mmCIF file with all atom_site columns, all heavy atoms in Angstrom:
data_model
loop_
_atom_site.group_PDB
_atom_site.id
_atom_site.type_symbol
_atom_site.label_atom_id
_atom_site.label_alt_id
_atom_site.label_comp_id
_atom_site.label_asym_id
_atom_site.label_entity_id
_atom_site.label_seq_id
_atom_site.pdbx_PDB_ins_code
_atom_site.Cartn_x
_atom_site.Cartn_y
_atom_site.Cartn_z
_atom_site.occupancy
_atom_site.B_iso_or_equiv
_atom_site.pdbx_formal_charge
_atom_site.auth_seq_id
_atom_site.auth_comp_id
_atom_site.auth_asym_id
_atom_site.auth_atom_id
_atom_site.pdbx_PDB_model_num
ATOM 1   N N   . GLU A 1 10 ? 4.683  10.106 -7.188  1.00 81.00 ? 184 GLU A N   1
ATOM 2   C CA  . GLU A 1 10 ? 5.640  10.294 -8.286  1.00 81.00 ? 184 GLU A CA  1
ATOM 3   C C   . GLU A 1 10 ? 4.901  10.595 -9.590  1.00 81.00 ? 184 GLU A C   1
ATOM 4   O O   . GLU A 1 10 ? 5.316  11.460 -10.361 1.00 81.00 ? 184 GLU A O   1
ATOM 5   C CB  . GLU A 1 10 ? 6.520  9.056  -8.437  1.00 81.00 ? 184 GLU A CB  1
ATOM 6   C CG  . GLU A 1 10 ? 7.517  8.882  -7.313  1.00 81.00 ? 184 GLU A CG  1
ATOM 7   C CD  . GLU A 1 10 ? 8.285  7.567  -7.402  1.00 81.00 ? 184 GLU A CD  1
ATOM 8   O OE1 . GLU A 1 10 ? 8.083  6.814  -8.377  1.00 81.00 ? 184 GLU A OE1 1
ATOM 9   O OE2 . GLU A 1 10 ? 9.066  7.297  -6.489  1.00 81.00 ? 184 GLU A OE2 1
ATOM 10  N N   . THR A 1 11 ? 3.807  9.890  -9.819  1.00 82.00 ? 185 THR A N   1
ATOM 11  C CA  . THR A 1 11 ? 3.011  10.115 -11.024 1.00 82.00 ? 185 THR A CA  1
ATOM 12  C C   . THR A 1 11 ? 2.432  11.527 -11.018 1.00 82.00 ? 185 THR A C   1
ATOM 13  O O   . THR A 1 11 ? 2.473  12.227 -12.036 1.00 82.00 ? 185 THR A O   1
ATOM 14  C CB  . THR A 1 11 ? 1.871  9.077  -11.123 1.00 82.00 ? 185 THR A CB  1
ATOM 15  O OG1 . THR A 1 11 ? 2.435  7.776  -11.112 1.00 82.00 ? 185 THR A OG1 1
ATOM 16  C CG2 . THR A 1 11 ? 1.054  9.278  -12.377 1.00 82.00 ? 185 THR A CG2 1
ATOM 17  N N   . MET A 1 12 ? 1.901  11.951 -9.891  1.00 83.00 ? 186 MET A N   1
ATOM 18  C CA  . MET A 1 12 ? 1.338  13.297 -9.776  1.00 83.00 ? 186 MET A CA  1
ATOM 19  C C   . MET A 1 12 ? 2.419  14.352 -9.986  1.00 83.00 ? 186 MET A C   1
ATOM 20  O O   . MET A 1 12 ? 2.175  15.369 -10.633 1.00 83.00 ? 186 MET A O   1
ATOM 21  C CB  . MET A 1 12 ? 0.672  13.493 -8.406  1.00 83.00 ? 186 MET A CB  1
ATOM 22  C CG  . MET A 1 12 ? -0.623 12.712 -8.235  1.00 83.00 ? 186 MET A CG  1
ATOM 23  S SD  . MET A 1 12 ? -1.854 13.067 -9.498  1.00 83.00 ? 186 MET A SD  1
ATOM 24  C CE  . MET A 1 12 ? -2.257 14.736 -9.078  1.00 83.00 ? 186 MET A CE  1
ATOM 25  N N   . GLN A 1 13 ? 3.615  14.097 -9.471  1.00 87.00 ? 187 GLN A N   1
ATOM 26  C CA  . GLN A 1 13 ? 4.717  15.040 -9.649  1.00 87.00 ? 187 GLN A CA  1
ATOM 27  C C   . GLN A 1 13 ? 5.094  15.129 -11.129 1.00 87.00 ? 187 GLN A C   1
ATOM 28  O O   . GLN A 1 13 ? 5.334  16.213 -11.640 1.00 87.00 ? 187 GLN A O   1
ATOM 29  C CB  . GLN A 1 13 ? 5.919  14.608 -8.805  1.00 87.00 ? 187 GLN A CB  1
ATOM 30  C CG  . GLN A 1 13 ? 7.056  15.598 -8.846  1.00 87.00 ? 187 GLN A CG  1
ATOM 31  C CD  . GLN A 1 13 ? 8.217  15.174 -7.947  1.00 87.00 ? 187 GLN A CD  1
ATOM 32  O OE1 . GLN A 1 13 ? 8.144  14.168 -7.235  1.00 87.00 ? 187 GLN A OE1 1
ATOM 33  N NE2 . GLN A 1 13 ? 9.289  15.957 -7.989  1.00 87.00 ? 187 GLN A NE2 1
ATOM 34  N N   . GLN A 1 14 ? 5.128  13.994 -11.819 1.00 88.00 ? 188 GLN A N   1
ATOM 35  C CA  . GLN A 1 14 ? 5.431  13.995 -13.251 1.00 88.00 ? 188 GLN A CA  1
ATOM 36  C C   . GLN A 1 14 ? 4.359  14.748 -14.033 1.00 88.00 ? 188 GLN A C   1
ATOM 37  O O   . GLN A 1 14 ? 4.676  15.530 -14.937 1.00 88.00 ? 188 GLN A O   1
ATOM 38  C CB  . GLN A 1 14 ? 5.559  12.565 -13.774 1.00 88.00 ? 188 GLN A CB  1
ATOM 39  C CG  . GLN A 1 14 ? 6.808  11.852 -13.304 1.00 88.00 ? 188 GLN A CG  1
ATOM 40  C CD  . GLN A 1 14 ? 6.821  10.376 -13.721 1.00 88.00 ? 188 GLN A CD  1
ATOM 41  O OE1 . GLN A 1 14 ? 5.800  9.815  -14.093 1.00 88.00 ? 188 GLN A OE1 1
ATOM 42  N NE2 . GLN A 1 14 ? 7.998  9.776  -13.646 1.00 88.00 ? 188 GLN A NE2 1
ATOM 43  N N   . ILE A 1 15 ? 3.112  14.511 -13.687 1.00 87.00 ? 189 ILE A N   1
ATOM 44  C CA  . ILE A 1 15 ? 2.019  15.213 -14.368 1.00 87.00 ? 189 ILE A CA  1
ATOM 45  C C   . ILE A 1 15 ? 2.132  16.716 -14.138 1.00 87.00 ? 189 ILE A C   1
ATOM 46  O O   . ILE A 1 15 ? 1.963  17.512 -15.068 1.00 87.00 ? 189 ILE A O   1
ATOM 47  C CB  . ILE A 1 15 ? 0.647  14.671 -13.896 1.00 87.00 ? 189 ILE A CB  1
ATOM 48  C CG1 . ILE A 1 15 ? 0.452  13.242 -14.418 1.00 87.00 ? 189 ILE A CG1 1
ATOM 49  C CG2 . ILE A 1 15 ? -0.494 15.578 -14.354 1.00 87.00 ? 189 ILE A CG2 1
ATOM 50  C CD1 . ILE A 1 15 ? -0.763 12.535 -13.882 1.00 87.00 ? 189 ILE A CD1 1
ATOM 51  N N   . GLU A 1 16 ? 2.436  17.109 -12.910 1.00 89.00 ? 190 GLU A N   1
ATOM 52  C CA  . GLU A 1 16 ? 2.585  18.520 -12.597 1.00 89.00 ? 190 GLU A CA  1
ATOM 53  C C   . GLU A 1 16 ? 3.742  19.141 -13.385 1.00 89.00 ? 190 GLU A C   1
ATOM 54  O O   . GLU A 1 16 ? 3.634  20.261 -13.898 1.00 89.00 ? 190 GLU A O   1
ATOM 55  C CB  . GLU A 1 16 ? 2.812  18.697 -11.094 1.00 89.00 ? 190 GLU A CB  1
ATOM 56  C CG  . GLU A 1 16 ? 2.724  20.146 -10.661 1.00 89.00 ? 190 GLU A CG  1
ATOM 57  C CD  . GLU A 1 16 ? 2.749  20.292 -9.150  1.00 89.00 ? 190 GLU A CD  1
ATOM 58  O OE1 . GLU A 1 16 ? 2.046  19.526 -8.473  1.00 89.00 ? 190 GLU A OE1 1
ATOM 59  O OE2 . GLU A 1 16 ? 3.482  21.182 -8.678  1.00 89.00 ? 190 GLU A OE2 1
ATOM 60  N N   . GLU A 1 17 ? 4.850  18.415 -13.527 1.00 89.00 ? 191 GLU A N   1
ATOM 61  C CA  . GLU A 1 17 ? 5.986  18.914 -14.316 1.00 89.00 ? 191 GLU A CA  1
ATOM 62  C C   . GLU A 1 17 ? 5.596  19.071 -15.783 1.00 89.00 ? 191 GLU A C   1
ATOM 63  O O   . GLU A 1 17 ? 5.978  20.056 -16.433 1.00 89.00 ? 191 GLU A O   1
ATOM 64  C CB  . GLU A 1 17 ? 7.176  17.965 -14.169 1.00 89.00 ? 191 GLU A CB  1
ATOM 65  C CG  . GLU A 1 17 ? 7.840  18.012 -12.809 1.00 89.00 ? 191 GLU A CG  1
ATOM 66  C CD  . GLU A 1 17 ? 8.899  16.920 -12.635 1.00 89.00 ? 191 GLU A CD  1
ATOM 67  O OE1 . GLU A 1 17 ? 9.228  16.227 -13.623 1.00 89.00 ? 191 GLU A OE1 1
ATOM 68  O OE2 . GLU A 1 17 ? 9.396  16.769 -11.504 1.00 89.00 ? 191 GLU A OE2 1
ATOM 69  N N   . ILE A 1 18 ? 4.844  18.119 -16.302 1.00 89.00 ? 192 ILE A N   1
ATOM 70  C CA  . ILE A 1 18 ? 4.398  18.205 -17.700 1.00 89.00 ? 192 ILE A CA  1
ATOM 71  C C   . ILE A 1 18 ? 3.487  19.416 -17.888 1.00 89.00 ? 192 ILE A C   1
ATOM 72  O O   . ILE A 1 18 ? 3.624  20.162 -18.863 1.00 89.00 ? 192 ILE A O   1
ATOM 73  C CB  . ILE A 1 18 ? 3.682  16.899 -18.119 1.00 89.00 ? 192 ILE A CB  1
ATOM 74  C CG1 . ILE A 1 18 ? 4.691  15.751 -18.192 1.00 89.00 ? 192 ILE A CG1 1
ATOM 75  C CG2 . ILE A 1 18 ? 2.955  17.070 -19.449 1.00 89.00 ? 192 ILE A CG2 1
ATOM 76  C CD1 . ILE A 1 18 ? 4.058  14.374 -18.353 1.00 89.00 ? 192 ILE A CD1 1
ATOM 77  N N   . ILE A 1 19 ? 2.587  19.631 -16.952 1.00 89.00 ? 193 ILE A N   1
ATOM 78  C CA  . ILE A 1 19 ? 1.677  20.773 -17.038 1.00 89.00 ? 193 ILE A CA  1
ATOM 79  C C   . ILE A 1 19 ? 2.460  22.077 -16.980 1.00 89.00 ? 193 ILE A C   1
ATOM 80  O O   . ILE A 1 19 ? 2.208  23.003 -17.761 1.00 89.00 ? 193 ILE A O   1
ATOM 81  C CB  . ILE A 1 19 ? 0.598  20.701 -15.938 1.00 89.00 ? 193 ILE A CB  1
ATOM 82  C CG1 . ILE A 1 19 ? -0.370 19.553 -16.235 1.00 89.00 ? 193 ILE A CG1 1
ATOM 83  C CG2 . ILE A 1 19 ? -0.156 22.029 -15.812 1.00 89.00 ? 193 ILE A CG2 1
ATOM 84  C CD1 . ILE A 1 19 ? -1.356 19.253 -15.125 1.00 89.00 ? 193 ILE A CD1 1
ATOM 85  N N   . GLN A 1 20 ? 3.428  22.175 -16.059 1.00 89.00 ? 194 GLN A N   1
ATOM 86  C CA  . GLN A 1 20 ? 4.235  23.383 -15.952 1.00 89.00 ? 194 GLN A CA  1
ATOM 87  C C   . GLN A 1 20 ? 5.030  23.637 -17.232 1.00 89.00 ? 194 GLN A C   1
ATOM 88  O O   . GLN A 1 20 ? 5.217  24.772 -17.641 1.00 89.00 ? 194 GLN A O   1
ATOM 89  C CB  . GLN A 1 20 ? 5.167  23.296 -14.746 1.00 89.00 ? 194 GLN A CB  1
ATOM 90  C CG  . GLN A 1 20 ? 4.452  23.441 -13.432 1.00 89.00 ? 194 GLN A CG  1
ATOM 91  C CD  . GLN A 1 20 ? 5.377  23.259 -12.229 1.00 89.00 ? 194 GLN A CD  1
ATOM 92  O OE1 . GLN A 1 20 ? 6.558  22.988 -12.377 1.00 89.00 ? 194 GLN A OE1 1
ATOM 93  N NE2 . GLN A 1 20 ? 4.816  23.412 -11.035 1.00 89.00 ? 194 GLN A NE2 1
ATOM 94  N N   . TYR A 1 21 ? 5.488  22.572 -17.868 1.00 88.00 ? 195 TYR A N   1
ATOM 95  C CA  . TYR A 1 21 ? 6.231  22.713 -19.125 1.00 88.00 ? 195 TYR A CA  1
ATOM 96  C C   . TYR A 1 21 ? 5.300  23.130 -20.266 1.00 88.00 ? 195 TYR A C   1
ATOM 97  O O   . TYR A 1 21 ? 5.638  23.987 -21.078 1.00 88.00 ? 195 TYR A O   1
ATOM 98  C CB  . TYR A 1 21 ? 6.926  21.383 -19.460 1.00 88.00 ? 195 TYR A CB  1
ATOM 99  C CG  . TYR A 1 21 ? 7.527  21.359 -20.843 1.00 88.00 ? 195 TYR A CG  1
ATOM 100 C CD1 . TYR A 1 21 ? 8.733  21.991 -21.103 1.00 88.00 ? 195 TYR A CD1 1
ATOM 101 C CD2 . TYR A 1 21 ? 6.879  20.717 -21.898 1.00 88.00 ? 195 TYR A CD2 1
ATOM 102 C CE1 . TYR A 1 21 ? 9.287  21.989 -22.367 1.00 88.00 ? 195 TYR A CE1 1
ATOM 103 C CE2 . TYR A 1 21 ? 7.421  20.711 -23.165 1.00 88.00 ? 195 TYR A CE2 1
ATOM 104 C CZ  . TYR A 1 21 ? 8.619  21.342 -23.406 1.00 88.00 ? 195 TYR A CZ  1
ATOM 105 O OH  . TYR A 1 21 ? 9.159  21.339 -24.657 1.00 88.00 ? 195 TYR A OH  1
#
Side-chain angles (χ1 to χ4, degrees):
E184 289 174 3
T185 303
M186 289 304 292
Q187 185 177 356
Q188 289 174 344
I189 291 172
E190 190 172 315
E191 288 172 8
I192 291 170
I193 290 172
Q194 287 176 358
Y195 171 78

